[in-house]
Amino acid sequence: MKKLYDKENSYELVESKDLNNFVTNENFDQELKEYLKKTGGTVEGDINVKGNLSTTNLRIHEADGTPGVTGYVHFMTIKITGNYVNKPIVIEVVRRRDVEPTSLHIQFMSGATTDPSLQSFIATGNRNCKNVFYMYKASAGVWHLFGQKSEAYDSITVYRVSNAYHGVGINVEYVNNHFSSVPAGYRQADLADFYTTEEIKSLFNSLFVTQTFTVSNASKVFEGTANWATSVAKSGYTPLAITGIMGQGNLSSFINFCNWFLDGTTAKIYARMLWNDFHNGSAAASGSDFKIQFTILYKKNF
């Protein structure tokens, strides 16, 4: 009886039989090393791990184009071989100077064709990837993926690819070709949910603005409990709030004795005196004696 290992199954005990399909315990390790060395190797097919899998490096592909030269790197080719391949592909990459990885989300239109249109191409995660990643349709069902180098000795590192159609509809090939520019007809990745601080400031400044109005009454007398109104309309904007009121001239303290109300619908400021016959010591409050300066916050209309 001898313990022998079957290449197809596990092992069994045999007495005498054709041993062509068996290897002995002694040379099993040697044969395994021939196909998968500790220093590296390629496994063709799926790997199923029932227990834990530990790794120190998940780098899949490194593409630097022409080292020492800035430009664009064609680092991946996507070939469509099946129909209805509209589940998204997710590719995670890093470059030099990036503060975090970039996730590229690619989705094709659903249809009974191996040449579907590109439905969406979105970049997320890294705020520095604006105008960096591109897709170019090289031929029917074949797309090239490009990334711009951040510096001359940069490279595009791919460390994760999620492809639900691997081997059954979409094949991914890793390449390394340098280009000075992306071919005409490219599709640039849309950015999702990242803005720089300066972009946020610019966006805020375009949405919200302030404007100062100086109002003087050359004829109206402020006395009794009379209401008073003035327009603060601004074309293309809706007034939101009074952010500042300052009195000028003979009745500068007048503003402290009024209720002020901003009506965003009519774009007017209304005032109502709290004290009857308040003239700040004068017989009447009129003419050039009185001015008020308002600062109004506006929201842009869309």
Side-chain angles (χ1 to χ4, degrees):
M1 300 288 287
K2 193 168 186 180
K3 183 186 259 189
L4 299 176
Y5 290 80
D6 191 321
K7 294 179 183 178
E8 298 294 332
N9 303 301
S10 55
Y11 70 85
E12 63 179 278
L13 298 175
V14 298
E15 289 188 19
S16 62
K17 59 185 296 186
D18 184 1
L19 302 180
N20 290 336
N21 290 326
F22 291 83
V23 293
T24 63
N25 189 39
E26 289 76 13
N27 66 5
F28 178 75
D29 287 343
Q30 185 61 37
E31 182 163 331
L32 180 62
K33 290 177 181 178
E34 180 181 343
Y35 295 99
L36 186 60
K37 298 178 172 60
K38 282 186 176 181
T39 55
T42 300
V43 177
E44 296 182 1
D46 297 333
I47 297 178
N48 296 315
V49 180
K50 293 183 179 180
N52 295 326
L53 177 64
S54 299
T55 179
T56 57
N57 191 353
L58 286 177
R59 183 178 62 181
I60 298 175
H61 178 54
E62 189 91 17
D64 57 359
T66 302
V69 180
T70 58
Y72 299 83
V73 181
H74 168 208
F75 64 93
M76 182 180 291
T77 295
I78 297 175
K79 294 184 177 181
I80 303 170
T81 60
N83 300 328
Y84 302 103
V85 288
N86 59 324
K87 292 180 181 178
I89 302 171
V90 181
I91 303 166
E92 294 193 356
V93 300
V94 290
R95 305 176 309 148
R96 288 188 176 186
R97 300 184 183 180
D98 287 348
V99 296
E100 52 191 328
T102 299
S103 293
L104 302 174
H105 301 252
I106 301 169
Q107 187 175 38
F108 295 98
M109 297 287 289
S110 178
T113 175
T114 58
D115 186 27
S117 300
L118 181 62
Q119 178 166 304
S120 63
F121 179 34
I122 302 172
T124 67
N126 175 29
R127 68 189 66 184
N128 293 334
C129 72
K130 186 176 183 179
N131 304 325
V132 170
F133 293 100
Y134 305 82
M135 288 186 70
Y136 168 73
K137 186 176 181 179
S139 60
V142 179
W143 293 79
H144 292 175
L145 195 54
F146 290 82
Q148 185 177 22
K149 298 168 70 172
S150 65
E151 56 187 63
Y153 287 94
D154 189 18
S155 62
I156 310 297
T157 302
V158 180
Y159 68 92
R160 186 170 78 90
V161 177
S162 297
N163 175 17
Y165 300 107
H166 172 69
V168 293
I170 296 180
N171 295 328
V172 171
E173 296 179 0
Y174 302 105
V175 293
N176 184 17
N177 302 310
H178 191 92
F179 285 75
S180 59
S181 61
V182 183
Y186 61 79
R187 168 82 172 266
Q188 182 176 309
D190 296 322
L191 300 184
D193 65 31
F194 28 80
Y195 295 91
T196 65
T197 301
E198 292 305 315
E199 286 174 331
I200 293 175
K201 288 181 180 178
S202 177
L203 180 63
F204 182 86
N205 290 337
S206 68
L207 294 177
F208 301 96
V209 298
T210 58
Q211 183 167 328
T212 300
F213 292 84
T214 300
V215 180
S216 61
N217 274 345
S219 59
K220 183 168 178 58
V221 175
F222 291 90
E223 61 180 332
T225 56
N227 292 326
W228 169 82
T230 188
S231 175
V232 289
K234 180 176 175 62
S235 178
Y237 290 83
T238 298
L240 294 179
I242 303 171
T243 60
I245 304 176
M246 184 171 62
Q248 299 176 359
N250 196 25
L251 294 179
S252 60
S253 61
F254 172 81
I255 60 175
N256 298 320
F257 297 92
C258 285
N259 274 333
W260 301 97
F261 171 69
L262 172 64
D263 188 339
T265 303
T266 61
K268 289 185 177 182
I269 292 178
Y270 295 87
R272 182 176 180 82
M273 290 191 65
L274 299 178
W275 290 9
N276 293 338
D277 302 318
F278 175 71
H279 304 297
N280 197 24
S282 60
S286 62
S288 60
D289 293 334
F290 185 72
K291 291 181 181 181
I292 305 178
Q293 188 177 76
F294 299 97
T295 302
I296 311 298
L297 176 66
Y298 294 87
K299 179 187 71 173
K300 188 173 183 179
N301 299 331
F302 291 97

